[in-house]
């Protein structure tokens, strides 16, 4: 397939507060190009979803943020999440690791998390002006003392060069974000569901009414999770449901 490549610019740092915060400052202060990837060996104030922090052993993991200025409408923003998740999953598959995507964009091996994603979009009118795609991929870290549900490439397979993983990931981000910009929404959605953790399986969840057993039926256009709860199809956004 021939496709338009991201213009690739790499900024490599030894230490930073957060690559997403660095990217946000860079966008505010300069005319930084879409396709710029900021990578840091260490992060002092790594940020996660739901206001969590993100910690990673220095020099062992891939900690990066891609600055992307997409030509897509804001109401298609969930497809950014889909494209990024698929790029990470495919990178891991090339390393011999079969991963699943836990809605909306955690990447799991079995039930353990190998990668987290923090996407911060800035919207202008009906368009996404820019997107900061933060990725924390556990690569050569072999112990997670406070995080029993974390895993890494070395734990699942073998030690790998961080640069090699970064290049593979950059390539697949390029590929899937290009599918997005070309409007292949149905294809992206289909692939996302192919790798969706827990699809059509009975699982435990918690919503505002408490813990219940339910089944994920699909994720809709806007990124809402549709769960069959005792025969009723309910839609949830991120803050309204958690997996038990
Ligand atoms: C999550 O699962 O909670 C999301 C974690 C995202 C972590 C990455 S590491 C690189 C980038 N910079 C940050 O501060 N966060 C993201």
């Amino acid at each position: 397939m021939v496709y338009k490549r991201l213009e690739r610019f790499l900024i490599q740092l030894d230490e930073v507060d957060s690559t997403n915060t660095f990217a946000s400052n860079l966008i505010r202060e300069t005319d930084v190009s879409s396709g710029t990837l900021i990578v840091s060996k260490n992060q002092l104030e790594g940020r996660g979803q739901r206001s969590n922090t993100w910690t990673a052993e220095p020099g062992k993991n891939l900690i990066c943020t891609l600055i992307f200025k997409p030509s897509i409408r804001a109401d298609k923003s969930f497809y950014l999440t889909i494209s990024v998740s698929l790029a990470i999953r495919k990178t891991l598959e090339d390393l011999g690791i079969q991963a699943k995507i836990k809605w909306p964009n955690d990447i799991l091996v079995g039930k353990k998390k190998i990668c987290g994603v923090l996407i911060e979009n800035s919207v202008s009118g009906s368009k996404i002006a820019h997107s900061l795609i933060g990725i924390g991929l556990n690569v050569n870290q072999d112990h997670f003392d406070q995080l029993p549900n974390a895993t890494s490439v070395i734990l699942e397979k073998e030690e790998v060069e961080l640069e090699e993983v970064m290049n593979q990931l950059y390539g697949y981000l390029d590929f899937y974000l290009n599918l997005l910009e070309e409007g292949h929404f149905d294809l992206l959605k289909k692939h996302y569901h192919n790798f969706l953790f827990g699809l059509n399986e009975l699982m435990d969840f918690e919503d505002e009414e408490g813990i219940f057993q339910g089944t994920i039926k699909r994720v809709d256009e806007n990124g809402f999770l549709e769960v069959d709860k005792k025969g009723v199809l309910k839609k949830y956004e991120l803050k309204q449901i958690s997996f038990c």
Side-chain angles (χ1 to χ4, degrees), residues 17-21 43 45-50 52-54 62-65 105-106 113 115-118 133-137:
D17 47 0
S18 149
T19 52
N20 270 41
T21 307
Q43 207 172 220
E45 290 169 39
R47 296 191 280 114
Q49 287 170 22
R50 305 182 199 228
N52 286 325
T53 54
W54 183 260
L62 187 59
I63 295 166
C64 61
T65 298
N105 54 15
D106 282 351
K113 182 161 164 175
C115 183
V117 179
L118 178 66
I133 301 167
I135 299 172
L137 176 59

Side-chain angles (χ1 to χ4, degrees), residues 187-236:
L187 183 71
L188 288 166
K189 195 166 62 179
K190 184 164 168 271
H191 280 240
Y192 180 81
H193 283 88
N194 280 348
F195 299 108
L196 190 63
F197 174 78
L199 184 69
N200 292 323
E201 285 171 28
L202 195 63
M203 296 196 319
D204 291 335
F205 299 92
E206 184 168 7
D207 67 7
E208 96 243 301
E209 291 166 346
I211 293 176
F212 68 96
Q213 285 206 314
T215 310
I216 295 175
K217 298 317 279 181
R218 67 175 200 128
V219 180
D220 81 4
E221 306 293 301
N222 302 311
F224 286 85
L225 186 70
E226 292 188 1
V227 178
D228 181 333
K229 182 180 179 182
K230 295 177 194 135
V232 179
L233 203 59
K234 295 199 74 173
K235 281 189 187 226
Y236 296 95

